[in-house]
Amino acid sequence: FYFTSGPGEKAPKGYLLYMGKDKHENEELIKYAWPEDVWFHVDKESSAHVYIRLPRGIHETGPTWYKEIPENVVEECCQLVKANSIKGNKMDNVSVVFTPASNLKKTQGMDTGQVGFHNQNLVFKAKIETRKNEIVNRLEKTKRWEEPDLQADLMQRQK
């Protein structure tokens, strides 16, 4: 699923957000994430994997490039993962973790859709007190279903 965030300084038309439909698609998203992608997930609970695609090359601008996501867009990503978590959606004060997609690690024996991190220092948390329906509803209005060839898209991006 694809969504469009609210505008930001570096994306006046909004950022591309995307989310896996199930744990199998999440595996594909992990495998074919772009260098500019940042991953969001409800901490310690089952939830959707939501990614934001930042402008091309931003990951080469310095070690804190992923911290330059506007606060309102971070909140949108957090609200989207909260809304797509069976437990998290019903809870208040939910922690959402986010990290560059390149920091995601798969090891042998992990369940489908499960991830670890290469560097815990690159994992950040945001606290979401309550679900904000106005944010979730606005994002839902931008939702579109596509079945991209993620591997081909990544290969095209690398050219």
Side-chain angles (χ1 to χ4, degrees), residues 1-19:
F1 295 106
Y2 290 87
F3 304 85
T4 303
S5 77
E9 182 181 325
K10 295 183 176 161
K13 294 182 180 177
Y15 292 91
L16 172 68
L17 309 180
Y18 61 98
M19 175 176 74

Side-chain angles (χ1 to χ4, degrees), residues 9-50:
E9 182 181 325
K10 295 183 176 161
K13 294 182 180 177
Y15 292 91
L16 172 68
L17 309 180
Y18 61 98
M19 175 176 74
K21 67 178 183 210
D22 58 28
K23 64 184 180 180
H24 301 289
E25 190 170 77
N26 286 340
E27 282 294 313
E28 295 294 302
L29 296 177
I30 294 163
K31 189 174 180 180
Y32 299 115
W34 292 16
E36 299 86 3
D37 292 349
V38 177
W39 172 87
F40 289 77
H41 194 274
V42 172
D43 194 23
K44 298 181 175 72
E45 297 292 347
S46 176
S47 80
H49 291 216
V50 171

Side-chain angles (χ1 to χ4, degrees), residues 54-101:
L54 298 176
R56 186 176 178 134
I58 196 167
H59 67 291
E60 298 169 344
T61 61
T64 60
W65 63 271
Y66 50 88
K67 292 182 183 177
E68 297 188 25
I69 306 169
E71 281 184 42
N72 65 307
V73 179
V74 169
E75 182 171 19
E76 288 177 330
C77 294
C78 292
Q79 287 290 335
L80 198 53
V81 296
K82 179 179 176 17
N84 288 279
S85 170
I86 293 169
K87 276 185 158 178
N89 191 36
K90 298 172 187 168
M91 298 167 37
D92 289 336
N93 297 311
V94 172
S95 289
V96 174
V97 292
F98 62 101
T99 191

Side-chain angles (χ1 to χ4, degrees), residues 102-115:
S102 60
N103 191 39
L104 299 177
K105 175 175 77 172
K106 291 290 295 182
T107 57
Q108 194 170 9
M110 282 185 163
D111 290 339
T112 303
Q114 184 180 11
V115 298

